[in-house]
Amino acid sequence: MAYQTFRQEYLQVPPVTRAYTTACVLTTAAVQLELITPFQLYFNPELIFKHFQIWRLITNYLFFGPVGFNFLFNMIFLYRYCRMLEEGSFRGRTADFVFMFLFGGLLMTLFGLFVNLVFLGQAFTIMLVYVWSRRNPYVRMNFFGLLIFQAPFLPWVLMGFSLLLGNSIIVDLLGIAVGHIYFFLEDVFPNQPGGVRLLRTPSVLKAIFDTPEDDPNYNPLPEERPGGFAWGEGQRLGG
């Protein structure tokens, strides 16, 4: 019975969010079981381009460190905001969502060549949080019951929290920078006088991922509950 309930809930998660979070959890489990090591996964341009270990372009986005507070914190935020984007502004536009993943990952990898980062998954999560926060500017957030602010400040609050934990803020800044570039090119620049849409999802992605009709029984995650936990719970202003 428990298995059937879990399976049903698991299949309710939209496909891109389900695939990415599952890959992250399985990668971490494989490391914990010592089937693989982080040294086989991390971002290393020399090993990628000189020794053709191409898988590192992907695996460095899948490992968030050993199981612990930092891993759980990142997984919760990754799952919540990735799912809300996919069920919100990308509802019925899976190909566009995949294209955002590819664009963000490519840009982050290019920036990663110039900064000393070996795993980019956390930066990718911040990118998702940034895009969601800019598309939901009137959502009021409650962080650990200590701070109340509007959604666009969330990435910066997370960066401050990372700083308090003694982590490098370069990861957060990279995620914010890439998220802002995507948001500007997709949401801001096309709406400016003389602006054009520079980001266009390739037709091959649309043919693969987009479906003609929504499932009438689909139950999306409420976007007005952005955190679901004390550090991210919120509600729309005026609601």
Side-chain angles (χ1 to χ4, degrees):
M1 185 66 181
Y3 168 76
Q4 291 295 333
T5 301
F6 172 78
R7 182 176 182 274
Q8 184 177 4
E9 290 296 323
Y10 178 74
L11 294 177
Q12 278 287 310
V13 179
V16 177
T17 302
R18 183 170 66 236
Y20 186 37
T21 54
T22 299
C24 292
V25 171
L26 290 179
T27 300
T28 301
V31 172
Q32 289 293 115
L33 295 173
E34 299 184 351
L35 300 176
I36 55 177
T37 71
F39 296 105
Q40 297 171 289
L41 307 174
Y42 75 100
F43 181 72
N44 185 314
E46 182 175 353
L47 293 177
I48 292 171
F49 299 112
K50 291 186 178 180
H51 297 274
F52 306 106
Q53 297 183 10
I54 305 300
W55 66 84
R56 293 178 184 272
L57 290 171
I58 299 175
T59 56
N60 81 91
Y61 289 98
L62 303 180
F63 184 64
F64 288 78
V67 176
F69 175 78
N70 191 60
F71 170 77
L72 294 175
F73 189 83
N74 277 286
M75 283 296 99
I76 289 169
F77 271 84
L78 170 62
Y79 170 77
R80 296 289 298 185
Y81 291 94
C82 187
R83 180 171 181 175
M84 282 191 294
L85 274 176
E86 191 169 2
E87 293 179 331
S89 57
F90 287 99
R91 177 79 183 275
R93 300 168 51 221
T94 302
D96 293 339
F97 195 44
V98 172
F99 182 66
M100 187 191 79
F101 265 59
L102 296 176
F103 175 81
L106 175 62
L107 202 57
M108 213 167 283
T109 298
L110 292 176
F111 287 157
L113 296 174
F114 303 99
V115 294
N116 188 26
L117 295 175
V118 293
F119 291 103
L120 298 173
Q122 183 176 333
F124 195 84
T125 299
I126 294 295
M127 180 196 78
L128 296 174
V129 171
Y130 184 91
V131 174
W132 178 89
S133 69
R134 293 302 298 269
R135 289 184 171 179
N136 296 271
Y138 302 111
V139 175
R140 186 171 57 187
M141 313 296 296
N142 184 335
F143 191 79
F144 282 118
L146 301 175
L147 295 174
I148 296 177
F149 52 90
Q150 288 178 244
F153 293 100
L154 178 59
W156 303 100
V157 171
L158 292 178
M159 185 178 72
F161 186 65
S162 292
L163 190 62
L164 288 176
L165 293 178
N167 299 327
S168 171
I169 63 172
I170 299 298
V171 175
D172 302 81
L173 288 174
L174 178 59
I176 289 172
V178 173
H180 182 73
I181 291 172
Y182 176 83
F183 176 76
F184 178 80
L185 293 177
E186 180 69 13
D187 292 36
V188 179
F189 185 64
N191 298 315
Q192 299 299 309
V196 295
R197 186 173 297 280
L198 299 176
L199 299 180
R200 295 185 179 275
T201 303
S203 57
V204 63
L205 291 180
K206 290 184 176 292
I208 294 172
F209 293 104
D210 281 354
T211 55
E213 297 180 359
D214 282 340
D215 181 356
N217 297 318
Y218 191 64
N219 184 26
L221 198 67
E223 200 162 6
E224 64 269 16
R225 295 187 64 250
F229 294 86
W231 56 76
E233 188 114 21
Q235 62 186 38
R236 292 190 180 277
L237 293 178

